[in-house]
Amino acid sequence: MNISLRRGERIFINGAVLRVDRKVCLELLNDVTFLLENHVMQAESATTPLKRLYFVIQAMLMSPNDCEAALQLCREMFVSLSSNALDPRIMEGLRAAVRHIEDKRMFDALKVVRGLFPIEEQLTTTAEAENAREVA
């Protein structure tokens, strides 16, 4: 797999953080767990339930040797989200993310959860609009 990075960009590979000082192309010759900097969510951006879940899964991906506490928190979040999620698209996405985590495919779990963000935003916007109408 080839990955192109720009000057100053970071990549997280198997828990290590690498920053390049010039434009570079990396060729990964074996199976590694990596995360590009533009997919890394900062703590202050984890403002919704699904974004908080993404942040926890991200922590497991970035620190694969030290993820027991994050895995336990992730399990608790799945239970909470599953009991509160009424949208079948979110439920199916959560089930897929759980399968990926069980298979230790954290990046695939992140992709699934990131794909649910627009649905969560749409549901939140709709709920806020309904609440505003009820108040008015």
Side-chain angles (χ1 to χ4, degrees), residues 17-133:
V17 182
L18 306 172
R19 182 179 17 221
V20 297
D21 64 352
R22 65 193 77 145
K23 184 177 178 181
V24 67
C25 182
L26 299 175
E27 183 178 8
L28 303 176
L29 300 175
N30 61 346
D31 190 26
V32 298
T33 302
F34 71 93
L35 189 61
L36 296 172
E37 183 174 20
N38 62 347
H39 288 146
V40 174
M41 180 180 289
Q42 301 301 316
E44 60 271 7
S45 298
T47 57
T48 68
L50 286 176
K51 288 181 179 180
R52 285 189 287 275
L53 177 63
Y54 182 96
F55 189 78
V56 171
I57 297 169
Q58 170 186 284
M60 292 188 299
L61 178 76
M62 293 172 73
S63 299
N65 297 328
D66 183 32
C67 67
E68 277 306 310
L71 184 57
Q72 181 58 36
L73 179 58
C74 189
R75 287 182 182 125
E76 292 169 9
M77 293 177 84
F78 275 122
V79 169
S80 175
L81 283 166
S82 296
S83 64
N84 293 323
L86 301 175
D87 190 284
R89 298 169 295 176
I90 290 181
M91 292 299 297
E92 181 55 37
L94 290 174
R95 283 192 289 272
V98 167
R99 285 191 300 271
H100 290 313
I101 290 171
E102 289 171 351
D103 293 340
K104 301 204 183 320
R105 295 172 45 206
M106 303 306 173
F107 185 78
D108 291 328
L110 285 177
K111 275 178 42 177
V112 168
V113 173
R114 191 172 44 244
L116 298 175
F117 291 169
I119 299 168
E120 181 182 45
E121 184 176 337
Q122 176 190 20
L123 293 172
T124 302
T125 303
T126 302
E128 288 172 354
E130 288 175 5
N131 287 339
R133 277 189 297 233

